[in-house]
Amino acid sequence: MPIHFPNHPGLVVYLTAGDNGLHTDPQAHPAQPGNPAPRGNAAQPGDLSLTRDIALAAIDAGADVLELGVPFSDPMADGPVIQRASERALRRGTRLADVLRLAADLHRARPQAGIVLFSYLNPILRFGMARFADEAAAAGADGVLLTDMIVEEAADYLAHMRRTGLSPIFLAAPTSPDARLQAIAAHSAGFIYAISRTGVTGKQKQLASDAAALVERIRRWTRLPVAVGFGISSADHFAQVGQFADAAVIGSAIVELIERSGPGQAAANVSRFIKGLRQPALAQTL
Amino acid sequence: MTAAITESANPASATAPGRFGPYGGRYVPETLMAALAELEAAYAEASTDPVFQSELDDLLRNFAGRPTALTFAARLTEQLGGAKIYLKREDLLHTGAHKINNALGQGLLARRMGKRRIIAETGAGQHGVATATVCALLGMDCIVYMGEDDIRRQELNVLRMRLLGAEVRPVTSGSRTLKDAVNEALRDWVTNVRDTYYILGSALGPHPYPTMVRDFHRVIGIELRQQILEREGRLPDAIVACVGGGSNAIGAFHAFLDDPAVRLIGVEAGGRGKSLGDHAARFEGGVPGVLQGTYSYVLQDENGQVALTHSVSAGLDYATVGPEHAALHDSGRATYVSADDAHVLDAVVRLSRAEGILPALESAHAVAECLRIAPRMPRHAILVVNLSGRGDKDMGILARELKIAGAEALDQA
């Protein structure tokens, strides 16, 4: 099913695949003599069952699209929260092939939800762009977002997206001039990801005034849905974004919630957080 | 600038701007694209503006100390019994390394663009010191990102930067070395892109940096060419330079690219062994990939995760290499070898005692290769080592590694 947002505003949830939070991180809890490393750590590389549980909970709580983040050693566009999550996921041995398997699992379990594979370019290049596109499409993914891929460099990438029917999702920034927005709109499918402010990923207190102006400029060039991301962390932000955009992307706030969750609590916490976005009264109980 | 993509934007095309064969390009978050376009335009304008060029030339001559000497290494030549060895003395420049060439060029460009806040990354600290120096000279704010491990091993340079008024921000992510400092500088730039200029320190990163940084260092090869013609009446048989990102090497090589009789030899960090993680020899252990905005050889695991690196020299301890070197490697115009830590330490002592010149650990990689190949070359051959920096900054490491305090290792050297 193509990416769609049946509710308004739509909700895109980002998860760093393979991050189980602090309580199973081997570095946070180094094994000591007589005090073995916690369960669910690097002893089981490729076990993404917790990410799967959280993703299902997120969909059931109201997420329309899931972005599955492929952990990378050098996440230059990410703030500290997603950097830490990537480091934990890599310490657990998470590979691109595992993320593709997770995508297939989720697609089977919840075919109505959109699935976007979210990665830096290098793990994809190493895997092989053609093989990646084939396997992502076979897994039932709907779209791909490559953080460090710009439209000018994308000819080969776009050819593989077209060939396999995957939606290439590009970032649009407040600093992008209209000529770039036009090119981004022309080459995107699924939705356009509008970055709310200059900066790396991470929570913020106030939604930048840049965001509404950017969405308005993007709409001159496309009828695709526009999702706003970077820094959205509360029901207030979510409602504000709904006034001018089709959807909001929530990443760091949820990744941080997973980081702080106790054993077995992450999926329930994420579910409650997401329900609270549309019903702020629920959020009070968090 | 047109943002429309064309078939020529395919990475396989060598004709796209900022491409060296298939290498180079721009792989960055969208937020930086407007800034890179602005930089590209400003640089294109400045590089043809005689006023900009004459101001830069004046600073290179009267502030930095150009032209640098070409020193005949008489005793080393005699000891090795082969090629005549010359040293291109970038170590004599103000601040102690070739890095000042680029820092001055980009500093002037930043001022011309009206940017008052300067950021930079540094590994060994030489680029950080050069940038802090230029910011003091031009009255600009300076923030230098430096890996925590490098801060520890290059403490003297950290103190110099602080004395010059720069803020040194420790980077604690990843391997806490140069790669992570670049990540952090890029994150700062993405956040403060509207008022900040990023003085990238090597011929690396997204277009236009590899071209621009190379251009600011081309003066090395241009001087060298003229000096060797004056002294020897002919071009050298080989030029040897160390390669981290590769800025001193590309600066030394560039004036000789069209002279196929001049062998160009880049020396990477062989570190402590051949296993992934023990060295920074990208052309021996790396495969093409994208790191920090450019497509080049990258040391990485089978999952595309960037590998940790090791070198006794912080300045070469880096997982990727400038894209122009990748193209020169593939075409065979330049050859790339590596020198391991032990040979590098030996080279520091050999050059110091034979010539009274203490090379930086980075530059000592080139000296080590010279020690290896000069004896095999005929006596009429000419070998030039680009001595990119001086070793004063390394005294802490040298004291530990060579056990100078006990003097045993030195006496045996």
Side-chain angles (χ1 to χ4, degrees):
Chain A
M1 185 178 290
I3 291 167
H4 68 302
F5 298 104
N7 306 302
H8 184 84
L11 175 61
V12 180
V13 167
Y14 168 94
L15 299 173
T16 299
D19 169 34
N20 278 9
L22 277 178
H23 71 278
T24 59
D25 182 33
Q27 185 163 303
H29 302 275
Q32 307 280 338
N35 177 20
R39 288 152 64 84
N41 67 12
Q44 303 142 32
D47 174 11
L48 270 53
S49 56
L50 183 62
T51 307
R52 180 177 184 276
D53 293 347
I54 297 169
L56 293 176
I59 295 166
D60 294 343
D64 304 299
V65 173
L66 273 177
E67 289 181 346
L68 298 178
V70 178
F72 183 50
S73 54
D74 292 83
M76 66 175 176
D78 284 299
V81 169
I82 292 177
Q83 286 176 46
R84 289 197 300 268
S86 300
E87 287 176 11
R88 287 192 297 265
L90 289 175
R91 278 198 291 272
R92 295 185 66 254
T94 310
R95 299 157 304 178
L96 176 55
D98 304 318
V99 184
L100 288 165
R101 223 174 7 255
L102 171 66
D105 268 5
L106 293 174
H107 180 66
R108 266 194 303 276
R110 299 291 186 276
Q112 79 279 10
I115 296 175
V116 173
L117 296 164
F118 191 105
S119 185
Y120 288 84
L121 181 54
N122 200 57
I124 308 291
L125 289 179
R126 190 66 199 254
F127 195 80
M129 184 64 83
R131 179 183 165 209
F132 167 73
D134 288 338
E135 295 195 13
D142 302 281
V144 177
L145 194 160
L146 300 179
T147 315
D148 46 357
M149 176 62 90
I150 55 164
V151 284
E152 287 90 337
E153 305 286 5
D156 184 55
Y157 164 61
L158 286 171
H160 286 294
M161 294 294 102
R162 269 194 301 274
R163 181 176 63 74
T164 51
L166 289 164
S167 296
I169 296 158
F170 285 99
L171 299 168
T175 50
S176 306
D178 286 347
R180 294 195 58 78
L181 292 182
Q182 186 179 6
I184 287 164
H187 296 289
S188 292
F191 62 92
I192 290 176
Y193 188 136
I195 300 172
S196 69
R197 54 169 160 79
T198 62
V200 293
T201 57
K203 298 200 306 185
Q204 61 186 0
K205 288 210 172 66
Q206 282 201 317
L207 197 60
S209 57
D210 284 354
L214 173 61
V215 172
E216 195 183 318
R217 287 200 299 131
I218 292 170
R219 290 206 198 279
R220 286 184 219 157
W221 308 109
T222 184
R223 291 183 177 174
L224 283 173
V226 179
V228 173
F230 279 39
I232 297 167
S233 56
S234 68
D236 268 2
H237 293 167
F238 187 65
Q240 281 176 54
V241 168
Q243 290 168 14
F244 58 86
D246 301 288
V249 187
I250 303 195
S252 295
I254 286 175
V255 173
E256 192 172 38
L257 185 56
I258 295 166
E259 181 176 63
R260 291 194 276 113
S261 292
Q265 299 300 305
N269 287 346
V270 169
S271 175
R272 192 151 8 114
F273 176 84
I274 290 175
K275 286 176 181 160
L277 292 171
R278 288 204 168 96
Q279 295 164 275
L282 276 179
Q284 305 300 321
T285 67
L286 256 181
Chain B
M1 184 207 72
T2 170
I5 71 156
T6 64
E7 290 312 308
S8 74
N10 190 304
S13 164
T15 55
R19 288 281 172 189
F20 307 93
Y23 302 107
R26 276 179 179 165
Y27 299 93
V28 292
E30 172 66 21
T31 307
L32 291 182
M33 278 307 296
L36 288 170
E38 181 191 4
L39 177 59
E40 185 180 18
Y43 175 61
E45 203 183 274
S47 61
T48 55
D49 177 355
V51 176
F52 179 85
Q53 289 303 325
S54 75
E55 188 171 8
L56 178 56
D57 288 348
D58 176 68
L59 286 173
L60 287 173
R61 177 176 294 272
N62 299 314
F63 180 75
R66 299 214 74 91
T68 59
L70 183 68
T71 302
F72 175 54
R75 275 174 33 87
L76 191 65
T77 297
E78 191 186 311
Q79 288 171 14
L80 295 174
K84 293 179 76 170
I85 298 163
Y86 282 90
L87 307 170
K88 179 60 175 162
R89 302 292 306 282
E90 295 295 294
D91 62 310
L92 291 177
L93 283 171
H94 181 42
T95 69
H98 71 292
K99 296 290 186 188
I100 192 76
N101 301 328
N102 171 54
L104 280 171
Q106 290 200 54
L108 287 181
L109 187 58
R111 192 181 64 182
R112 185 185 170 96
M113 293 170 71
K115 313 261 183 184
R116 307 287 305 171
R117 181 177 181 271
I118 302 296
I119 58 171
E121 85 297 336
T122 198
Q126 289 304 108
H127 174 59
V129 167
T131 302
T133 298
V134 169
C135 288
L137 175 74
L138 300 178
M140 301 190 291
D141 296 334
C142 182
I143 295 160
V144 179
Y145 290 94
M146 188 169 186
E148 217 172 35
D149 282 11
D150 290 341
I151 286 181
R152 193 169 32 75
R153 52 180 171 172
Q154 301 285 350
E155 191 191 4
L156 198 60
N157 274 343
V158 175
L159 299 176
R160 290 168 78 192
M161 287 184 268
R162 289 186 175 141
L163 180 70
L164 287 158
E167 179 189 345
V168 180
R169 291 192 182 167
V171 176
T172 57
S173 57
S175 56
R176 297 181 292 275
T177 59
L178 178 57
K179 168 176 81 79
D180 312 286
V182 175
N183 284 334
E184 213 50 45
L186 285 166
R187 289 179 186 123
D188 182 313
W189 201 27
V190 166
T191 306
N192 302 295
V193 60
R194 289 180 171 110
D195 68 353
T196 297
Y197 186 104
Y198 178 18
I199 301 190
L200 211 157
S202 194
L204 282 170
H207 176 63
Y209 283 106
T211 302
M212 178 171 69
V213 175
R214 177 252 281 156
D215 288 352
F216 286 134
H217 287 302
R218 281 180 63 224
V219 62
I220 303 171
I222 292 169
E223 285 176 10
L224 167 57
R225 189 182 179 93
Q226 192 183 341
Q227 288 165 324
I228 200 76
L229 286 174
E230 279 168 13
R231 302 274 279 280
E232 293 282 346
R234 68 178 186 90
L235 296 178
D237 296 280
I239 301 171
V240 186
C242 67
V243 180
S247 65
N248 88 83
I250 202 69
F253 292 172
H254 201 261
F256 300 90
L257 288 181
D258 295 330
D259 302 298
V262 181
R263 283 170 60 202
L264 306 173
I265 302 166
V267 188
E268 300 185 285
R272 60 190 166 209
K274 295 286 182 194
S275 306
L276 194 63
D278 284 343
H279 63 86
R282 289 67 46 100
F283 291 120
E284 289 175 31
V287 295
V290 166
L291 178 63
Q292 295 170 339
T294 194
Y295 182 63
S296 183
Y297 284 74
V298 180
L299 287 167
Q300 54 181 299
D301 69 14
E302 68 279 8
N303 298 309
Q305 305 297 339
V306 178
L308 299 183
T309 52
H310 167 82
S311 170
V312 69
S313 82
L316 306 188
D317 198 352
Y318 187 60
T320 189
V321 59
E324 194 164 7
H325 285 293
L328 292 174
H329 169 269
D330 285 11
S331 73
R333 177 63 194 94
T335 52
Y336 295 85
V337 298
S338 65
D340 65 28
D341 287 352
H343 283 89
V344 167
L345 290 164
D346 179 56
V348 170
V349 178
R350 284 293 293 273
L351 188 68
S352 297
R353 295 191 168 184
E355 299 294 337
I357 296 170
L358 168 59
L361 281 166
E362 289 75 20
S363 321
H365 284 69
V367 177
E369 178 63 7
C370 164
L371 296 178
R372 195 179 73 83
I373 63 174
R376 304 177 194 174
M377 297 170 75
R379 285 174 182 273
H380 57 79
I382 301 167
L383 175 62
V384 179
V385 175
N386 192 37
L387 208 68
S388 56
R390 66 177 99 122
D392 308 39
K393 70 184 174 62
D394 297 319
M395 283 316 302
I397 298 171
L398 292 171
R400 273 194 306 281
E401 297 287 337
L402 299 172
K403 301 184 178 64
I404 288 175
E408 306 91 355
L410 270 183
D411 291 343
Q412 288 158 16

